[in-house]
Amino acid sequence: MANHLRIELEKLKTNLLSLSSEVERALNKAVLSVRNSDTELAKEVLAADHVIDQHEVEVEEQCLAILALHQPVAKDLRFVIAVLKINNDLERIGDLAVNISERTIFLKKQPPIEIPFDFVNMSQKAVTMLKKSLDAFINMDLRLAHKVWESDDEIDEMNRQVYDKVYSTIKSHPNQVEALIHYLSISRHLERIGDYATNICEDVIYMAEGKIVRHTPEGA
Amino acid sequence: MANHLRIELEKLKTNLLSLSSEVERALNKAVLSVRNSDTELAKEVLAADHVIDQHEVEVEEQCLAILALHQPVAKDLRFVIAVLKINNDLERIGDLAVNISERTIFLKKQPPIEIPFDFVNMSQKAVTMLKKSLDAFINMDLRLAHKVWESDDEIDEMNRQVYDKVYSTIKSHPNQVEALIHYLSISRHLERIGDYATNICEDVIYMAEGKIVRHTPEGA
């Protein structure tokens, strides 16, 4: 029985990693679609979202089957619950990649304007946070999980600065309001991806230490 | 053993309901703070958020203890997993009540402007969706769960209309941009509360029918 459980947990991990690759791919494409005003790429993200949705349902059903059939305890139980939560968050990151891609499609219909913030820097930050949070999960790397968790402040601050920049740009160019608010949404979506990566790190910490760190001050 | 499980599941339900009351109270206060520009009320929401956070951690620990000690299967297992997810969503609704309250505090510092949408109507819609989704959970009322789930489109559409209104108002009054974008955020937060209420209904449907309805077209 214990061996069967081991095999099932290994399969579950592989399945979650395959979902995370799909989500990372969607996010990379969404970011690139903004950079290059590439609506074809944006449409690819929209078209592939149902694969991520379906995959999330499968991982959840796999978790429930393991709980029902193998009744894991202690560390194994915490692992399954962490996978349930990470799975949920990955699907929501997939939705944000869709939202970003929809902005690309909308923006293409507007007169082009300069992106009102350092998009390359901020999007790289979000992509890196997601990648590192998943690496922390794969390698059960607690040091990395804590590091990503503590770095969430940086992307929050970037997003705050985008608000200020958008306010002042709208005042001088009120006719650009639609495009500017869409770029503001993109910044907000990137910031929320940072939040989800932070959640994933919290789940990794919980899984490894059995300690719930969320709702405690970052870096405390 | 089965009787112990029954008692523990009943306690879990009571605990989740107590959390949901706290979250409903926070949301009602947040909405009222916007309506009356009442920063004192807004600050009460901010000050009470740690109670919700702590409560969420307790419910999650209770779920894990039940899974580890009683190893529920079938309907009972689905119930515990649904509580885990509803718990998570309630805490996030609590965060949105905080975000709305923060906007009240910010808006109080700005020259007052008219709210650029029917706030009473939209906020009542969000509050009602949350209330009904929790009623559906308490009474395991599938008809109600499906009804709330199908009504999410309405609040989405309201939010889309707010965007259009804000664009046109900013063009005629660019100096009101900060206040207008804060009202836009409030509308978006209300729309996301509708999404979370929809998620709760999906969990109720899953719990009762064992059927995962999310990612299928609403009303299908």
Side-chain angles (χ1 to χ4, degrees):
Chain A
M1 184 69 162
N3 255 347
H4 277 159
L5 173 58
R6 203 62 40 217
I7 291 166
E8 290 305 317
L9 293 177
E10 213 37 61
K11 276 192 204 161
L12 179 62
K13 188 174 181 176
T14 307
N15 207 358
L16 188 78
L17 288 184
S18 140
L19 172 63
S20 70
S21 302
E22 285 160 15
V23 172
E24 280 189 79
R25 199 175 316 126
L27 178 58
N28 280 320
K29 280 186 182 181
V31 163
L32 216 56
S33 80
V34 175
R35 281 179 70 170
N36 302 335
S37 306
D38 186 340
T39 52
E40 288 312 307
L41 205 54
K43 284 178 192 162
E44 281 181 31
V45 177
L46 269 58
D49 189 47
H50 73 278
V51 179
I52 290 175
D53 289 348
Q54 185 52 39
H55 207 147
E56 185 222 356
V57 171
E58 282 167 26
V59 171
E60 186 166 317
E61 284 176 349
Q62 209 179 347
C63 288
L64 286 156
I66 291 173
L67 290 172
L69 298 175
H70 298 278
Q71 310 188 325
V73 292
K75 209 161 176 157
D76 294 335
L77 173 60
R78 287 211 304 274
F79 176 80
V80 176
I81 299 301
V83 169
L84 258 180
K85 297 173 81 178
I86 294 173
N87 183 44
N88 217 320
D89 285 340
L90 283 174
E91 191 272 331
R92 287 175 182 182
I93 294 173
D95 284 345
L96 290 170
V98 166
N99 292 349
I100 292 171
S101 303
E102 285 171 343
R103 304 295 169 169
T104 297
I105 295 168
F106 176 88
L107 283 160
K108 190 77 171 191
K109 295 175 192 154
Q110 302 282 313
I113 63 164
E114 202 188 325
I115 302 183
F117 59 101
D118 187 346
F119 175 74
V120 173
N121 186 20
M122 190 171 178
S123 59
Q124 272 174 356
K125 178 89 193 155
V127 168
T128 305
M129 281 182 79
L130 174 60
K131 208 186 148 4
K132 284 189 177 168
S133 69
L134 295 168
D135 285 347
F137 167 71
I138 299 165
N139 305 316
M140 204 51 69
D141 183 340
L142 269 176
R143 213 180 56 84
L144 185 59
H146 277 286
K147 212 175 135 192
V148 177
W149 188 60
E150 287 160 20
S151 74
D152 188 42
D153 283 350
E154 295 165 28
I155 197 160
D156 288 353
E157 178 54 28
M158 284 180 191
N159 185 46
R160 263 191 294 277
Q161 289 175 6
V162 175
Y163 269 78
D164 289 338
K165 184 68 195 299
V166 164
Y167 293 151
S168 63
T169 314
I170 285 178
K171 280 178 189 161
S172 51
H173 301 86
N175 282 327
Q176 295 179 357
V177 60
E178 285 92 341
L180 285 165
I181 286 189
H182 276 73
Y183 280 119
L184 187 64
S185 297
I186 290 173
S187 164
R188 228 184 41 242
H189 295 330
L190 293 173
E191 188 264 335
R192 280 184 60 205
I193 288 167
D195 285 345
Y196 283 123
T198 307
N199 289 351
I200 291 172
C201 290
E202 287 168 359
D203 291 328
V204 173
I205 294 168
Y206 161 74
M207 194 167 28
E209 299 182 351
K211 191 172 80 180
I212 297 183
V213 289
R214 62 181 186 274
H215 313 314
T216 59
E218 275 152 25
Chain B
M1 183 68 164
N3 256 348
H4 276 158
L5 173 58
R6 202 62 40 219
I7 293 167
E8 289 306 316
L9 293 177
E10 214 37 62
K11 276 194 206 162
L12 180 63
K13 189 174 180 177
T14 307
N15 207 0
L16 188 78
L17 288 183
S18 140
L19 172 62
S20 71
S21 303
E22 286 160 16
V23 171
E24 279 189 79
R25 198 174 317 127
L27 179 57
N28 280 320
K29 281 187 181 181
V31 163
L32 217 55
S33 81
V34 174
R35 280 180 71 170
N36 303 334
S37 306
D38 186 338
T39 52
E40 288 313 306
L41 204 56
K43 283 177 193 162
E44 282 181 30
V45 177
L46 269 57
D49 188 48
H50 73 279
V51 179
I52 291 175
D53 289 349
Q54 186 52 40
H55 208 146
E56 184 223 357
V57 171
E58 281 166 27
V59 172
E60 184 166 320
E61 284 175 349
Q62 210 179 345
C63 288
L64 286 155
I66 291 174
L67 289 173
L69 298 175
H70 298 279
Q71 311 188 324
V73 292
K75 209 159 177 160
D76 294 334
L77 173 61
R78 287 210 304 272
F79 176 79
V80 176
I81 297 302
V83 169
L84 258 180
K85 295 172 83 178
I86 293 173
N87 184 45
N88 215 322
D89 284 340
L90 283 174
E91 190 272 331
R92 287 177 182 180
I93 294 173
D95 285 345
L96 290 170
V98 166
N99 291 351
I100 292 171
S101 304
E102 285 172 343
R103 305 294 169 169
T104 297
I105 295 169
F106 176 89
L107 283 160
K108 190 77 171 188
K109 296 176 193 154
Q110 301 283 314
I113 64 166
E114 201 188 327
I115 303 183
F117 58 102
D118 187 346
F119 176 73
V120 173
N121 187 19
M122 190 172 178
S123 59
Q124 272 174 355
K125 178 90 194 154
V127 168
T128 305
M129 282 182 79
L130 174 59
K131 211 188 143 5
K132 286 191 176 167
S133 70
L134 295 169
D135 286 346
F137 167 71
I138 299 167
N139 306 316
M140 205 51 70
D141 183 340
L142 268 176
R143 213 181 55 86
L144 186 60
H146 277 286
K147 212 175 136 194
V148 178
W149 188 61
E150 286 161 20
S151 74
D152 188 43
D153 284 350
E154 295 165 27
I155 198 161
D156 288 353
E157 178 53 29
M158 286 180 190
N159 186 46
R160 260 190 297 275
Q161 288 175 4
V162 175
Y163 269 79
D164 288 339
K165 184 70 195 302
V166 164
Y167 294 152
S168 63
T169 315
I170 285 179
K171 280 180 189 159
S172 50
H173 301 86
N175 283 328
Q176 295 178 358
V177 60
E178 284 94 343
L180 286 165
I181 286 188
H182 277 73
Y183 280 120
L184 186 64
S185 297
I186 290 174
S187 164
R188 226 183 42 240
H189 295 329
L190 292 173
E191 186 264 335
R192 279 184 61 204
I193 288 167
D195 285 345
Y196 283 123
T198 307
N199 289 352
I200 291 173
C201 290
E202 288 168 359
D203 291 330
V204 173
I205 295 168
Y206 161 74
M207 194 166 31
E209 301 182 349
K211 190 172 80 181
I212 297 183
V213 287
R214 62 183 186 274
H215 314 315
T216 59
E218 277 152 24

